[in-house]
Amino acid sequence: MILKTDSIKSAPAKIALENQALTILNQLFNTDVANNKMVLMISNESDCDFVMNIAGTKSYSLPVATNKTESIVLEQGEYQMTSEVCNTSYRAFKNFFQNTQLSIRHRLIKPHDSTVVNQQ
């Protein structure tokens, strides 16, 4: 008997990812006026991966890979957001009262090759 351990190990991760997606979709389509939650989508349009720290009534850390978008469900309210994006500090105070998309852009400037060729 041969067991494929990779499929066994990835099953809980797949279920967790599906549950997260289901939670986010339910929140996006929730029209209940008593609902005090919202979805925050963070798009990373920078050259580096980063972790966004979100501090308010509760604190969260959301890793966001380069050129990817990650989402999280938060309580509506005021938050301080901090991160290091390509070795540059990001800090903002935000009031979130509805579903919001935040785009982080930071490009690294790469130096040109400064090799000089002497012609005689």
Side-chain angles (χ1 to χ4, degrees):
M1 177 190 282
I2 299 174
L3 293 177
K4 291 185 177 181
T5 57
D6 290 342
S7 63
I8 294 171
K9 288 180 184 177
S10 66
K14 183 178 180 184
I15 291 170
L17 188 60
E18 288 173 356
N19 286 341
Q20 179 185 8
L22 184 61
T23 300
I24 290 169
L25 284 172
N26 283 337
Q27 183 58 42
L28 283 172
F29 293 105
N30 188 338
T31 57
D32 183 0
V33 292
N35 179 26
N36 65 348
K37 295 188 178 198
M38 48 79 60
V39 174
L40 173 62
M41 296 187 322
I42 300 177
S43 297
N44 182 355
E45 298 175 18
S46 72
D47 292 332
C48 309
D49 297 343
F50 64 83
V51 175
M52 184 62 71
N53 299 303
I54 307 163
T57 335
K58 294 182 180 179
S59 295
Y60 308 89
S61 292
L62 183 65
V64 187
T66 301
N67 298 316
K68 299 289 181 186
T69 298
E70 296 295 336
S71 302
I72 188 168
V73 175
L74 305 172
E75 298 284 331
Q76 295 176 356
E78 298 178 6
Y79 290 90
Q80 177 181 5
M81 303 179 66
T82 58
S83 188
E84 287 289 321
V85 181
C86 302
N87 295 320
T88 302
S89 294
Y90 173 84
R91 184 177 186 182
F93 293 92
K94 302 282 186 180
N95 290 316
F96 295 124
F97 295 102
Q98 61 184 357
N99 298 331
T100 304
Q101 181 168 359
L102 177 67
S103 295
I104 304 295
R105 294 181 183 107
H106 188 288
R107 297 288 180 216
L108 295 176
I109 299 173
K110 297 178 181 165
H112 294 284
D113 186 9
S114 59
T115 305
V116 177
V117 178
N118 289 332
Q119 293 181 351
Q120 295 182 7

